């Protein structure tokens, strides 16, 4: 295999296929009638979107830009799930008229549905609602994404959800056909998914809804042997859903993001220099914290090391700090204690690195790194070349040159 210029992301097709089959297997075994909408924001690499389309996935989009991207890549209207509190009116109409899935989230979307219902009296519209329920009360031991609770969807407890159902129910050609229960928690436990599925049952019963689909959203663990996986989540979800819903009539939708691609992706960097400053060892690498954690919130970076030469002849260092390529002091990733001294040419390879990083990557000092796909037969495919100034200068103008490039 040719030596690749670091830093770059690698996607291993074999691992990706493993997680795809784990997900499909769990959904088939426990429900049968299912649909998977890949969360485009998690990693919108065109290669990945096209690959997942080939695997029968739909695209879960949350913006006009994402919608435009996936339709350019060949997803049809029917293969789109449109979520988000900020929807674009034109996209909304296209997806609705084209037979895709829309989960309403905001007040103005109810007005839109009233307008569209009278504009197209001969059409029948299937629509979903994003549910906001009090997870802190349902699962007190859960670590929530935010202490104040979620901000998306219509609140169940204060009657806003009921009001939305009533408004839509009053329209002759609109069918409240789906409930969307995506709720981010940090702890991602199986229990919270069971509680959310139970909530879907409770709401459908209470408001007498006949549902075409229940969308459980994303938020699962994946690619980690010490955590639950799709088999655990869907066993629990389907156990709860089957109390009320019939798999023949109601589709189960999953919107996986990070859980699907974590195992398959690494970010590979090289040691460029080792500096000693007042007794501290700083190992300078060509990757950066900005590539892995642009929001600078993480302190744990799963990784492994590959050495360029025999380590038995190297010193053991009490402490080495792995640092990134930007000129920012905070660009320090992790400390290695009591281990072999690193030297230029060694590799620091970050595991489970593909969710919310490959594309949520600031154009700061350096631009997007390359992405290579390692096919199951070992061959390499360049899915994205590293960005340079040809890409950066696009659509930039200076006063002297009309176009900067
Ligand atoms: C509506 C929706 N679906 C799916 C996902 C994917 O979540 P994850 O990457 O945690 O699986 C998200 C992420 O926030 C989301 O907001």
């Amino acid at each position: 295999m040719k030596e690749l210029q670091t830093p770059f992301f690698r996607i291993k097709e074999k691992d990706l296929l493993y997680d795809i089959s784990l997900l499909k297997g769990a959904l088939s075994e426990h429900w049968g009638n299912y649909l998977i909408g890949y969360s485009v924001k998690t990693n919108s690499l065109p290669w990945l979107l096209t690959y997942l389309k080939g695997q029968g996935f739909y695209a879960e989009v949350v913006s006009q830009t994402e919608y435009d991207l996936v339709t350019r890549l060949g997803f049809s209207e029917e293969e789109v799930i449109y979520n988000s509190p900020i929807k674009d009116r034109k996209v909304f109409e296209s997806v609705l008229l084209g037979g895709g899935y829309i989960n309403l989230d905001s007040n103005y979307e109810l007005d839109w549905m009233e307008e569209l219902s009278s504009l197209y009296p001969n059409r029948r519209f299937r629509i979903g609602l994003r549910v906001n329920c009090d997870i802190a009360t349902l699962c007190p031991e859960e670590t929530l994404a935010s202490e104040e609770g979620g901000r998306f969807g219509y609140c169940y407890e204060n009657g806003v959800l009921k009001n939305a159902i009533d408004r839509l129910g009053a329209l002759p050609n609109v069918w409240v056909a789906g409930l969307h229960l995506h709720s981010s928690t940090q702890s991602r436990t199986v229990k919270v998914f069971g509680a959310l599925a139970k909530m879907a049952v409770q709401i459908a019963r209470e408001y007498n809804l006949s549902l075409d689909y229940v969308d459980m959203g994303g938020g699962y663990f994946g690619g980690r042997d010490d955590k639950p996986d799709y088999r655990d989540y869907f066993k629990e979800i389907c156990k709860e859903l089957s109390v009320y819903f019939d798999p023949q009539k109601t589709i189960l939708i999953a919107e996986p993001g990070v859980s699907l691609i974590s195992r398959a992706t690494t970010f590979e960097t090289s040691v460029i220099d080792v500096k000693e400053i007042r007794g501290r060892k700083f190992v300078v690498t060509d990757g950066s914290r900005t590539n892995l954690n642009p929001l600078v919130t993480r302190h744990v970076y799963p990784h492994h090391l590959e050495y360029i030469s025999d380590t038995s002849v190297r010193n053991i260092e009490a402490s080495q700090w792995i640092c990134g390529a930007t000129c920012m002091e905070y660009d320090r990733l992790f400390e290695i204690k009591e281990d072999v001294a690193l030297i230029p040419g060694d590799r620091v390879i970050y595991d489970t690195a593909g969710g919310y990083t490959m594309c949520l990557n600031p154009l700061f000092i350096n631009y997007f790194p390359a992405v290579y796909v390692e096919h199951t037969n070992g061959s390499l495919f360049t899915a994205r070349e590293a960005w340079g100034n040809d890409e950066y200068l696009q659509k930039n103008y200076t006063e002297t040159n009309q176009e900067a490039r």
Side-chain angles (χ1 to χ4, degrees), residues 39 41-42 60 62 83 130 180 182 184 188 217-220 255-259 356:
S39 159
K41 70 171 153 306
T42 306
E60 187 261 332
V62 293
N83 292 326
R130 179 146 176 188
H180 182 218
H182 176 87
S184 303
R188 295 177 183 253
Y220 317 98
E255 297 173 353
V258 71
S259 56
Y356 302 99

Side-chain angles (χ1 to χ4, degrees), residues 2 63 75 101 106 131 158 181 198 200 205 233 237 247 252 287 329 333 335-336 361 375 386:
K2 71 174 176 176
S63 72
F75 286 85
Y101 291 82
S106 300
V131 174
N158 67 4
L181 291 117
K198 234 184 199 163
R205 259 199 190 129
Y233 290 113
I237 289 170
L252 173 56
E329 284 292 3
L333 291 113
E335 185 182 18
I336 302 179
N361 220 283
H375 286 307

Side-chain angles (χ1 to χ4, degrees), residues 235-345:
K235 188 171 173 212
E236 181 67 14
I237 289 170
C238 298
K239 186 186 91 192
E240 296 297 344
L241 291 181
S242 58
V243 169
Y244 185 74
F245 298 106
D246 174 0
Q248 304 291 328
K249 293 199 189 115
T250 304
I251 303 169
L252 173 56
I253 301 183
E255 297 173 353
V258 71
S259 56
L260 194 74
I261 53 176
S262 282
R263 187 193 313 268
T265 43
T266 48
F267 181 58
E268 311 200 3
T269 68
S270 299
V271 174
I272 303 299
D273 193 18
V274 180
K275 302 173 83 165
E276 185 159 342
I277 297 182
R278 286 182 287 284
R280 289 179 191 277
K281 281 261 154 75
F282 292 106
V283 177
V284 183
T285 66
D286 55 6
S288 164
R289 202 169 166 181
T290 57
N291 299 121
L292 289 158
N293 177 219
L295 306 177
V296 197
T297 47
R298 261 169 68 185
H299 297 284
V300 179
Y301 295 90
H303 64 272
H304 63 278
L305 303 170
E306 281 179 12
Y307 303 101
I308 194 170
S309 60
D310 182 9
T311 54
S312 65
V313 295
R314 299 194 199 175
N315 293 337
I316 297 296
E317 295 289 348
S319 164
Q320 303 175 84
W321 261 99
I322 304 298
C323 301
T326 67
C327 301
M328 306 301 286
E329 284 292 3
Y330 69 70
D331 199 0
R332 304 172 188 209
L333 291 113
F334 60 95
E335 185 182 18
I336 302 179
K337 287 186 178 159
E338 295 299 336
D339 210 340
V340 171
L342 291 171
I343 61 170

Side-chain angles (χ1 to χ4, degrees), residues 67 135 205 209 239 242 246 285 287 302 307 350 379 390 399:
Y67 170 79
I135 298 178
R205 259 199 190 129
L209 301 175
K239 186 186 91 192
S242 58
D246 174 0
T285 66
Y307 303 101
Y350 297 89
S379 67
D390 280 347
E399 296 291 339

Side-chain angles (χ1 to χ4, degrees), residues 100-161:
Y101 291 82
I102 300 185
N103 293 308
L104 308 185
D105 195 304
S106 300
N107 296 314
Y108 65 88
E109 293 174 78
L110 298 169
D111 302 337
W112 287 0
M113 282 312 299
E114 283 167 353
E115 283 165 38
L116 291 163
S117 156
S118 56
L119 209 57
Y120 298 97
N122 299 322
R123 296 286 308 262
R124 184 162 186 256
F125 297 125
R126 173 190 63 188
I127 204 79
L129 290 166
R130 179 146 176 188
V131 174
N132 186 312
C133 59
D134 184 6
I135 298 178
T137 304
L138 294 175
C139 305
E141 64 289 357
E142 199 76 16
T143 319
L144 304 178
S146 144
E147 268 182 36
E148 301 84 37
R151 68 183 175 92
F152 300 111
Y154 302 96
C155 179
Y156 168 66
E157 289 80 11
N158 67 4
V160 168
L161 178 69

Side-chain angles (χ1 to χ4, degrees), residues 54-95:
Q55 290 288 329
F57 283 50
Y58 286 24
E60 187 261 332
V61 301
V62 293
S63 72
Q64 193 270 340
T65 318
E66 285 188 353
Y67 170 79
D68 178 54
L69 175 66
V70 301
T71 48
R72 283 196 204 195
L73 292 173
F75 286 85
S76 68
E77 305 286 358
E78 282 113 320
E79 293 168 329
V80 167
I81 301 171
Y82 192 24
N83 292 326
S84 158
I86 305 287
K87 291 197 181 69
D88 175 85
R89 174 69 189 238
K90 276 202 185 128
V91 173
F92 190 97
E93 279 197 43
S94 299
V95 178

